[in-house]
Amino acid sequence: MNSKSGIGGSLPETFAERGYSVPFTTSVLEHLRVRVGREGGLEALLPGLSGGKGTYIIPWSDLPDVISMSLHDRSLYKKMNELSSHTPDRIRQTALEVQQDGYDGPDVAEAATNAIQKDHEISLMTNFTLVSEAVRQVGDGVEYTPMDLIDEENMKKARASVKNYADKLGMSTQDMMDILTTWADTSAAVGSPGGDHPGYLMRTVSDLARMSAEMSDWAEEEMPETVILVQQIIDAAEMAGRLAYEEIESMQQQASSMSTVLSSWNMNLRRLQDSVAKIASILDGWDRVTQKWDHVKEGFRHQQRDMVGEAVQHLPLLPAEVLNMNQQVIWQKITSEQNRLLTENGAVDFEDFDEVEGDIEEFMQPQSAWT
């Protein structure tokens, strides 16, 4: 595993190298990421808190021996061990299931239940949207809205209208409908083509744009040093949002070429899966930043400044694989600023946290080491 170095900072080459955020609630684990190490085992990556320090790379199996976890985090850790892969989407689904168990109180449990229900609704509406597009493009051309297809009679008519095209492809009507269902389930995290029913990833893109605009307005009354930090957050957020949206647009365009997608479904399914995984990786970790901003934006200015100061030190890093040279330069400047802030602020060491029980220093790696 290598990293791109320059201007005092470095970037991981890939998302797999960078790892994926895990929504633990124990304070010392707040910015933890998980990845597969060189030898195939899971590793936990914890950014050093004190000036000049690097990253703690802890074997996943050792984490409970080093950090005393909350009940929520112990449950999440246990369920993470049961996963066959550790992608942002799988981690999010697992975290919502744990939150439903009520470790963080009834409000969080209810919000998790609502989020899971929302995911289901988006998948269903995405399916109806795709069926309506199939009828329009390769069926009898009747214009159905997704809401029309909630009616069973309309759905029967829609199925009948695509039978001839399904026959041409050598499949049954049910096979074709199953493909559209799989397509919907795969892309539900993004949402329906056209954006009428946005999934959680599309909503995150919107949240980034909203947060950037609100922060920009808020910074007009701040001192220049704070404005610089805010602008770095905005630059990073806008870059992530733009990269994600470009991938979303490309992915959603497939719905306008139903015959092309359906005639080579296995290949196009892999393309869809890869696109959703890339979008989720680009946006990974940003939901926590937007949530923290929403929590303080109506509060006192000193709370908002504290949030800005913390956020700029822990911005979700983008790897070199999705950045052009100019974007890499911007990110390297941000990582240099993160290092400067950590050094100047003299943040507390991990040893000062009550939750740290083991000898964590043995896991320390040099600043910006991704190997």
Side-chain angles (χ1 to χ4, degrees):
M1 297 181 181
N2 301 310
S3 59
K4 295 279 188 181
S5 298
I7 319 180
S10 71
L11 301 173
E13 284 280 0
T14 65
F15 287 114
E17 196 175 336
R18 180 204 65 180
Y20 302 109
S21 61
V22 182
F24 285 132
T25 58
T26 304
S27 56
V28 74
L29 299 178
E30 186 173 358
H31 302 291
L32 179 144
R33 288 183 175 272
V34 64
R35 74 177 184 189
V36 177
R38 283 180 178 273
E39 299 180 3
L42 290 181
E43 295 176 338
L45 278 66
L46 284 169
L49 294 185
S50 58
K53 288 205 171 181
T55 299
Y56 295 92
I57 302 179
I58 306 172
W60 183 257
S61 59
D62 291 344
L63 194 61
D65 298 327
V66 178
I67 306 293
S68 176
M69 298 181 179
S70 65
L71 288 174
H72 167 278
D73 290 358
R74 273 184 268 171
S75 179
L76 179 54
Y77 175 86
K78 181 178 179 180
K79 285 185 177 292
M80 290 273 290
N81 288 336
E82 299 170 359
L83 296 179
S84 58
S85 63
H86 296 80
T87 61
D89 188 64
R90 294 295 299 277
I91 293 171
R92 174 182 176 270
Q93 292 298 322
T94 303
L96 288 174
E97 291 169 9
V98 171
Q99 289 168 6
Q100 278 189 300
D101 292 336
Y103 292 107
D104 301 313
D107 290 345
V108 173
E110 182 180 3
T113 298
N114 291 340
I116 292 172
Q117 179 61 32
K118 182 73 171 178
D119 289 348
H120 175 73
E121 293 171 359
I122 295 298
S123 181
L124 186 62
M125 296 310 296
T126 300
N127 189 15
F128 289 159
T129 301
L130 292 171
V131 172
S132 67
E133 278 296 310
V135 171
R136 187 176 67 82
Q137 294 180 42
V138 300
D140 59 16
V142 173
E143 296 280 351
Y144 290 109
T145 69
M147 296 302 294
D148 290 336
L149 295 175
I150 294 176
D151 182 83
E152 290 186 13
E153 279 302 312
N154 285 336
M155 181 58 82
K156 286 180 181 178
K157 293 176 183 177
R159 290 169 60 93
S161 77
V162 299
K163 183 181 183 305
N164 288 340
Y165 185 76
D167 290 342
K168 287 182 182 179
L169 295 180
M171 64 175 69
S172 68
T173 304
Q174 185 58 51
D175 288 339
M176 184 169 167
M177 301 305 286
D178 288 344
I179 285 175
L180 296 176
T181 298
T182 300
W183 186 343
D185 290 341
T186 302
S187 59
V190 171
S192 63
D196 289 339
H197 305 281
Y200 77 89
L201 292 175
M202 189 67 237
R203 297 197 299 272
T204 300
V205 172
S206 298
D207 287 342
L208 287 178
R210 173 184 54 77
M211 181 188 72
S212 296
E214 292 172 352
M215 279 190 165
S216 181
D217 291 342
W218 174 83
E220 291 180 359
E221 299 180 27
E222 287 297 306
M223 298 293 288
E225 55 267 29
T226 302
V227 173
I228 291 173
L229 300 183
V230 170
Q231 191 57 53
Q232 288 186 338
I233 296 173
I234 292 174
D235 287 345
E238 289 183 343
M239 188 184 300
R242 183 166 58 251
L243 289 170
Y245 190 72
E246 288 171 358
E247 192 68 26
I248 288 171
E249 278 195 315
S250 176
M251 188 189 98
Q252 301 263 30
Q253 284 174 2
Q254 294 186 60
S256 62
S257 302
M258 279 281 172
S259 60
T260 301
V261 175
L262 294 172
S263 62
S264 302
W265 172 241
N266 289 334
M267 178 188 72
N268 285 298
L269 174 59
R270 288 191 294 272
R271 287 179 58 195
L272 280 169
Q273 292 168 333
D274 290 345
S275 291
V276 174
K278 182 178 180 181
I279 296 162
S281 297
I282 290 170
L283 298 175
D284 180 46
W286 277 106
D287 55 339
R288 181 167 286 191
V289 179
T290 59
Q291 288 165 11
K292 286 193 171 186
W293 171 250
D294 289 342
H295 182 70
V296 303
K297 68 181 182 181
E298 301 298 335
F300 296 105
R301 294 195 78 85
H302 72 86
Q303 295 172 318
Q304 295 153 357
R305 292 188 197 102
D306 288 345
M307 179 271 165
V308 167
E310 179 189 356
V312 81
Q313 293 179 49
H314 299 287
L315 290 174
L317 193 65
L318 288 175
E321 69 174 328
V322 295
L323 303 175
N324 61 35
M325 291 305 298
N326 289 335
Q327 291 167 334
Q328 287 186 33
V329 168
I330 293 172
W331 260 110
Q332 287 162 352
K333 288 180 178 179
I334 291 174
T335 58
S336 294
E337 181 65 15
Q338 290 173 328
N339 295 343
R340 183 189 69 80
L341 287 170
L342 285 169
T343 301
E344 290 185 357
N345 289 347
V348 297
D349 290 330
F350 272 117
E351 295 92 326
D352 296 326
F353 279 81
D354 292 337
E355 297 91 346
V356 177
E357 296 183 329
D359 182 12
I360 198 170
E361 286 306 308
E362 65 177 295
F363 301 110
M364 170 55 66
Q365 300 294 323
Q367 182 67 46
S368 300
W370 296 99
T371 56

